[in-house]
Amino acid sequence: MYNKDQVDALAQSSQGSFTSASRTPHFFALAGGVIPAGKVLKIRPQIMYKYIASAEQKIPHEFDFNLSLLIYDRVNIGEPIELPFTTRRQD
């Protein structure tokens, strides 16, 4: 990790690959479970909420959903869905 002085020096040098950077707090909340659906099949719903505490971030809230099927406790098949909130911050 770079500290603020190193980031400022990189931004001003010709070797820096970015013009600005800052550390931003992130908050994650996760929940999930396993629902038996017979002897062979289990349903695994999962949800993750992400919040980015940044004035520059246009979409600070985000939900990720995942629904997967666990077959014979060995094969996991599923699909994630990412849903940003519709309220966006103005520039």
Side-chain angles (χ1 to χ4, degrees):
M1 292 299 246
Y2 293 107
N3 64 32
K4 185 173 181 350
D5 295 332
Q6 291 170 321
V7 169
D8 291 340
L10 281 172
Q12 293 173 1
S13 75
S14 61
Q15 296 175 349
S17 61
F18 53 87
T19 58
S20 68
S22 63
R23 292 185 180 174
T24 304
H26 288 59
F27 171 75
F28 293 90
L30 306 151
V34 177
I35 303 167
K39 293 182 180 180
V40 175
L41 188 65
K42 294 179 183 172
I43 301 170
R44 298 180 58 203
Q46 300 160 352
I47 187 170
M48 180 180 75
Y49 168 74
K50 179 172 78 171
Y51 173 72
I52 302 172
S54 169
E56 293 86 27
Q57 186 70 24
K58 293 188 183 214
I59 305 174
H61 303 277
E62 209 171 86
F63 271 116
D64 291 347
F65 298 99
N66 184 24
L67 182 64
S68 59
L69 302 175
L70 185 61
I71 304 167
Y72 288 109
D73 289 333
R74 296 180 189 266
V75 178
N76 191 32
I77 300 170
E79 179 68 27
I81 300 169
E82 186 175 303
L83 297 174
F85 276 54
T86 57
T87 57
R88 296 178 183 217
R89 291 186 179 162
Q90 301 298 321
D91 291 328

